[in-house]
């Protein structure tokens, strides 16, 4: 058990998980025929550093160089709703669960955000909220909001004000917010 915990802490330290509470695990774009046109795997996600995350999100949520604003706005709103639920129902710790985003560039179907990977979810007994998960969702929401700004600068020049790098002292440290694995 300790070996696995040490491995997870090393992943958190070496990726964006520790400082932002989230990590991209990959992305895939498909052609209308269903063939992958862009496939970014775990190694790509693990290689992203904190200042590279916003440009990486722009790449993932763009098709043909154009940001899919309608889908991104839907996901931002879904994250806001998720934050409201997590704040109102703070009874679970969601370790290494993920958020899956599905959308079509042409908008033929409604974008979908799904919470997946609940194998390591536990009922909270000693603290009020899962501050690590909230930390990651808040940062992702802020990044989506920054990407949607109409006069946003090019990705390499963008800086986003993220939530503090640590939750309150009474909480456990961020340990596997969305996408951590």
């Amino acid at each position: 058990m300790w070996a696995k915990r040490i491995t997870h802490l090393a992943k958190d330290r070496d990726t964006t998980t520790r400082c932002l509470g989230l990590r991209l695990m990959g992305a895939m774009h498909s052609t209308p025929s269903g063939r992958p046109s862009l496939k970014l795997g775990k190694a790509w996600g693990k290689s992203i550093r904190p200042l590279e995350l916003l440009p990486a999100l722009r790449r993932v949520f763009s098709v043909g160089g154009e940001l899919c604003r309608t889908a991104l706005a839907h996901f931002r709103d879904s994250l806001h709703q998720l934050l409201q639920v997590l704040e109102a129902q703070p009874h679970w710790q969601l370790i290494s669960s993920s958020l899956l985003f599905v959308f079509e560039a042409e908008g033929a179907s409604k974008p979908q955000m799904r919470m997946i990977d609940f194998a390591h979810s536990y009922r909270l007994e000693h603290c009020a909220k899962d501050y690590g998960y909230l930390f990651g969702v808040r940062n992702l929401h802020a990044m989506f909001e920054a990407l949607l700004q109409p006069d946003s600068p090019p990705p390499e020049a963008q800086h986003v004000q993220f939530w503090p790098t640590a939750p309150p002292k009474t909480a456990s440290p961020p340990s596997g917010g969305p996408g951590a694995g």
Side-chain angles (χ1 to χ4, degrees):
M1 179 169 157
W2 283 106
K4 186 166 186 161
R5 179 72 177 142
I6 290 169
T7 301
H8 275 279
L9 290 172
K11 281 185 206 174
D12 290 355
R13 183 191 64 237
D14 295 339
T15 64
T16 57
T17 304
R18 178 185 266 175
C19 62
L20 298 176
L22 65 117
R23 176 172 72 233
L24 285 178
M25 293 303 296
M28 186 174 78
H29 292 187
S30 298
T31 63
S33 67
R35 290 188 322 208
S37 61
L38 172 70
K39 191 169 183 179
L40 305 167
K42 270 188 181 181
W44 171 79
K46 287 179 179 180
S47 73
I48 297 170
R49 297 295 157 246
L51 292 177
E52 300 166 341
L53 190 56
L54 201 60
L57 285 169
R58 181 180 293 276
R59 180 179 183 195
V60 167
F61 289 100
S62 295
V63 176
E66 290 294 318
L67 187 64
C68 298
R69 291 183 175 280
T70 303
L72 200 58
H74 176 83
F75 296 140
R76 178 208 50 210
D77 296 344
S78 295
L79 287 171
H80 180 73
Q81 290 173 347
L82 177 60
L83 281 168
Q84 289 179 321
V85 168
L86 293 172
E87 289 284 355
Q89 301 292 325
H91 303 292
W92 294 94
Q93 184 173 22
L94 305 168
I95 299 171
S96 296
S97 73
S98 299
L99 297 175
L100 174 66
F101 299 95
V102 180
F103 66 100
E104 293 182 16
E106 294 83 28
S109 64
K110 185 177 177 181
Q112 298 179 31
M113 180 184 85
R114 306 231 175 196
M115 292 177 67
I116 60 173
D117 303 332
F118 293 100
H120 302 288
S121 298
Y122 305 98
R123 186 150 180 82
L124 289 170
E125 296 180 17
H126 302 292
C127 64
K129 298 177 184 176
D130 185 346
Y131 289 101
Y133 203 84
L134 286 167
F135 176 65
V137 174
R138 284 183 184 126
N139 277 330
L140 187 58
H141 183 270
M143 287 182 241
F144 283 7
E145 189 68 47
L147 287 171
L148 286 167
Q149 296 304 312
D151 56 351
S152 63
E156 60 277 359
Q158 252 177 341
H159 296 283
V160 177
Q161 178 65 45
F162 298 117
W163 287 86
T165 57
K169 294 276 185 208
T170 59
S172 56
S175 60

